Amino acid sequence: MTLVPFSRISSLRSLIIDDMPTMRQNIRMHLGQLGITKVDQAGTPDEAIRFVEAAAYDLIVCDYNLNKETNGQQLLEFFRTQHMLPPTTMFIMVTAESGYNLVASAAEFQPDAYMLKPLTASKLAERIDRLLEKQNALLPINEKLKRKDQAGAIIECDNVLKVAPKWIVDILKTKGSLLIELRRIEEARAVYAQALEMRDDLVWAKVGMARCNIVAGQLDDAKVLVQDVLAQNSQYIEAYDLLAQIEEAQGNQSEALDALSRSSEIIPSARRSRLVGDAAYRVGDLEQAKEAFDRVLKHTKGSLTAQPSDLLTLAQVHVDTGDADAALQLLSSAPKRYAESKMFTSAQSAVAAQAHYQLGDTISAERAFEAAMNSAGGVPSEMATLALARAAFAIGRDDEGAELISKAVKSDHENKTLQALARKVLIDSGRESMADELVDGAVKQCMTIISEANALMRSAKPDESLAKLEEALHSMPENTGVLMAAAQLHLLWMSQRGINQEYVKRVNRYLNTLDRLIPGNDRVSKMHKFLREAVAKAAQKS
């Protein structure tokens, strides 16, 4: 069969995901007709995950119905939430169900396109060609985003709109989101107003307006907009997330949980159930937390999409509800690959220690606690540290428990959810009287470190200032407040004394960590830009 001369797409590296060998071969044949020869094939979600971990793909063609555990939409969700796909990867969902567009419109992570069976080479070529056209048109914007230059990307949005107005919706969506990231709220409002002038029923633009109100602190106005969106489209998942965010910010924990629960009913995915379980656990609704994490484990059983934290949280819920036997049984069922993580084995032993103590086996409880401490290493995860604190309090080692609570809060002292969970551990352990001293005290210590570093910099002692922050990061490497201060003061040092290559490496390390922890933060974006421009200016001088 002669190759169809689609030269623009023949070089695309592609991955086909389908559980039916005949369907994979058919799609492979269609891609071959387009001149695409670099094609890998996956028959299961786990196999697809391994391929994506090993290589970057330009095109992924995925069937919606894969197996009982994971469908194509859930696999796409996993790829997106784990940041496994480059922005330029084109993801096409293939389905025999004409109602899939309803699924896709409700989903948080939408494919770039969906196609109904049967496929043909010409249909694939037409769809891919359009996606490439869009990709090429938006290339100047995406190039700026690759460099973390949000301000430059906003300028390119305006430039691209002049020459490629057919992509106005995509451009306005991107521009509005970027303006919000940079806290240019009035400009963002103007973008969403422009979209609503085109069509007054654009839910994404109304949600954008609500996000503007949230950033501006106008929570009541934001809530009205979100409720209006849900009255218009009760399937719009992002609106439920915003509603939950607003309710939580206003101290309405139960209402936030209700919003997340409603979203989980629309999209009963592992991620949705996980959000419900976490929220239910924070408000003390252990039965709902148990049901939610039961669903998560059923969704992800035997799959690489499973997360160790789900099993650990459910085991902790069992302990908190007095079902120690169920907790130990669940912990013993952990996949062998989880044991490769010291953070997991530490938390696993910490929860087991609580369960053993609950059953009256103090010897096993002590042994499990010691094993947990030994596995924890220098910097355990927040979850493992809090589980260790619970175990310490359970077996009467209050001093160690107090130290662990303080350590957990210091790991990210600006994280309000972490502070609430630390307080919950103390309340559940009957140590509520220690909450203010330990939690507020840990927050104050971190703020003091940052304040002292700033004071040293102002007192013309920059080297001491930077050394103080670098030392602090050895014990709390993911504390966003300390990372932010360290990056800022290193940049200030270089603005006064010139580029120092060791400091450039440090700042890049700080900013990359912050990008992972708080993606899209406007202060981080500005520091990326400052560093990039400072390095470029120094290179020109040399």
Side-chain angles (χ1 to χ4, degrees):
M1 186 175 290
T2 59
L3 294 178
V4 180
F6 293 109
S7 57
R8 292 182 66 193
I9 61 179
S10 61
S11 62
L12 298 178
R13 180 165 188 175
S14 305
L15 173 65
I16 301 167
I17 309 170
D18 197 307
D19 61 335
M20 302 290 289
T22 54
M23 291 304 302
R24 293 200 301 272
Q25 288 303 318
N26 283 340
I27 297 172
R28 172 71 183 83
M29 179 186 69
H30 295 322
L31 293 178
Q33 290 177 301
L34 306 181
I36 298 175
T37 57
K38 299 176 183 177
V39 181
D40 292 321
Q41 300 180 39
T44 66
D46 283 359
E47 194 176 357
I49 290 170
R50 293 189 185 95
F51 272 119
V52 171
E53 285 176 335
Y57 291 95
D58 304 302
L59 172 68
I60 296 177
V61 182
C62 179
D63 189 56
Y64 176 68
N65 292 306
L66 293 177
N67 59 33
K68 293 180 181 179
E69 287 76 32
T70 308
N71 61 38
Q73 188 64 43
Q74 291 166 340
L75 182 60
L76 172 61
E77 177 184 278
F78 179 78
F79 285 146
R80 298 286 192 215
T81 56
Q82 299 300 310
H83 308 291
M84 295 175 69
L85 298 180
T88 53
T89 297
M90 297 173 287
F91 196 105
I92 297 177
M93 194 76 73
V94 180
T95 177
E97 303 171 27
S98 58
Y100 173 72
N101 60 325
L102 296 176
V103 176
S105 65
E108 300 161 88
F109 302 96
Q110 299 181 13
D112 296 288
Y114 69 90
M115 299 183 68
L116 291 175
K117 298 177 182 178
L119 296 182
T120 64
S122 60
K123 286 180 181 178
L124 272 169
E126 182 181 349
R127 191 58 58 91
I128 294 169
D129 196 56
R130 180 173 173 80
L131 291 174
L132 282 173
E133 181 189 359
K134 174 183 170 182
Q135 200 175 91
N136 289 336
L138 303 183
L139 185 62
I141 301 171
N142 290 325
E143 285 296 321
K144 293 290 184 181
L145 292 177
K146 276 185 188 177
R147 299 172 60 195
K148 298 180 173 62
D149 183 4
Q150 277 89 336
I154 291 169
I155 294 171
E156 290 300 339
C157 283
D158 294 331
N159 294 336
V160 172
L161 188 56
K162 292 174 184 176
V163 297
K166 68 183 292 185
W167 306 111
I168 185 170
V169 171
D170 298 277
I171 293 169
L172 292 182
K173 280 184 178 180
T174 300
K175 184 179 178 182
S177 294
L178 290 171
L179 287 167
I180 290 176
E181 286 181 18
L182 296 181
R183 299 301 190 266
R184 291 160 57 176
I185 300 305
E186 292 310 312
E187 292 176 75
R189 289 190 207 273
V191 168
Y192 295 123
Q194 180 183 351
L196 290 169
E197 284 177 7
M198 294 162 45
R199 275 185 54 184
D200 62 6
D201 62 344
L202 290 175
V203 289
W204 62 265
K206 289 184 178 181
V207 165
M209 284 289 197
R211 289 173 60 211
C212 289
N213 287 339
I214 291 173
V215 174
Q218 300 163 343
L219 298 182
D220 288 334
D221 293 338
K223 187 186 292 188
V224 169
L225 278 172
V226 170
Q227 289 170 336
D228 179 54
V229 167
L230 290 173
Q232 177 185 342
N233 184 347
S234 62
Q235 304 286 301
Y236 203 76
I237 294 298
E238 187 182 353
Y240 288 104
D241 286 341
L242 282 184
L243 183 57
Q245 181 183 341
I246 294 165
E247 296 287 14
E248 191 156 351
Q250 293 182 324
N252 306 323
Q253 302 292 337
S254 296
E255 288 80 358
L257 173 57
D258 178 66
L260 292 173
S261 298
R262 286 156 61 194
S263 76
S264 182
E265 291 170 4
I266 296 167
I267 300 183
S269 65
R271 180 171 181 270
R272 286 279 121 202
S273 295
R274 187 178 296 116
L275 290 172
V276 171
D278 285 336
Y281 187 73
R282 288 198 299 272
V283 302
D285 190 338
L286 297 180
E287 188 56 38
Q288 187 168 2
K290 177 180 176 299
E291 292 173 359
F293 281 106
D294 269 333
R295 288 196 299 272
V296 174
L297 264 61
K298 287 176 183 175
H299 273 305
T300 59
K301 185 178 180 181
S303 170
L304 290 178
T305 61
Q307 296 186 13
S309 60
D310 297 329
L311 185 147
L312 292 170
T313 304
L314 182 56
Q316 184 66 64
V317 171
H318 284 314
V319 170
D320 292 354
T321 55
D323 196 349
D325 286 323
L328 291 173
Q329 185 177 352
L330 181 61
L331 290 171
S332 66
S333 71
K336 290 181 180 179
R337 61 188 173 89
Y338 288 2
E340 297 171 5
S341 165
K342 286 189 175 181
M343 289 184 181
F344 174 80
T345 56
S346 175
Q348 181 186 36
S349 295
V351 178
Q354 299 169 59
H356 286 306
Y357 184 81
Q358 203 173 88
L359 292 170
D361 186 351
T362 55
I363 295 176
S364 294
E366 289 278 358
R367 287 174 179 167
F369 179 75
E370 292 299 335
M373 292 294 287
N374 291 334
S375 296
V379 189
S381 69
E382 294 156 7
M383 168 179 268
T385 305
L386 291 178
L388 277 164
R390 281 184 182 274
F393 288 130
I395 62 177
R397 295 165 71 160
D398 284 18
D399 288 345
E400 288 173 90
E403 185 179 341
L404 287 161
I405 288 289
S406 179
K407 187 175 185 178
V409 176
K410 286 178 184 177
S411 69
D412 191 5
H413 74 282
E414 294 181 343
N415 186 332
K416 300 296 183 184
T417 299
L418 176 58
Q419 292 176 33
L421 288 172
R423 288 181 182 277
K424 188 176 189 307
V425 170
L426 292 166
I427 292 169
D428 293 348
S429 303
R431 274 79 170 179
E432 186 174 2
S433 60
M434 302 168 67
D436 289 344
E437 176 189 351
L438 292 178
V439 177
D440 295 343
V443 171
K444 186 176 180 180
Q445 285 180 43
C446 292
M447 293 175 67
T448 298
I449 289 171
I450 295 171
S451 177
E452 289 177 351
N454 281 316
L456 287 167
M457 184 66 76
R458 288 194 300 271
S459 301
K461 298 178 180 178
D463 294 330
E464 293 177 42
S465 170
L466 302 185
K468 189 174 193 67
L469 291 172
E470 186 70 7
E471 181 184 358
L473 286 170
H474 281 301
S475 59
M476 38 186 169
E478 295 194 345
N479 184 305
T480 54
V482 178
L483 282 165
M484 198 83 76
Q488 186 173 344
L489 292 182
H490 275 80
L491 289 172
L492 178 60
W493 187 99
M494 287 190 283
S495 71
Q496 296 171 348
R497 299 192 176 191
I499 292 296
N500 177 305
Q501 291 303 324
E502 177 58 34
Y503 286 1
V504 169
K505 291 178 183 177
R506 279 191 197 176
V507 174
N508 274 319
R509 187 175 78 242
Y510 301 150
L511 296 181
N512 289 336
T513 303
L514 286 165
D515 280 334
R516 175 171 56 82
L517 297 172
I518 46 174
N521 182 274
D522 59 311
R523 285 181 62 195
V524 176
S525 300
K526 288 175 182 175
M527 285 192 277
H528 270 298
K529 182 181 180 184
F530 185 93
L531 178 62
R532 188 168 57 248
E533 291 176 350
V535 170
K537 190 179 293 185
Q540 288 175 355
K541 287 182 180 179
S542 61

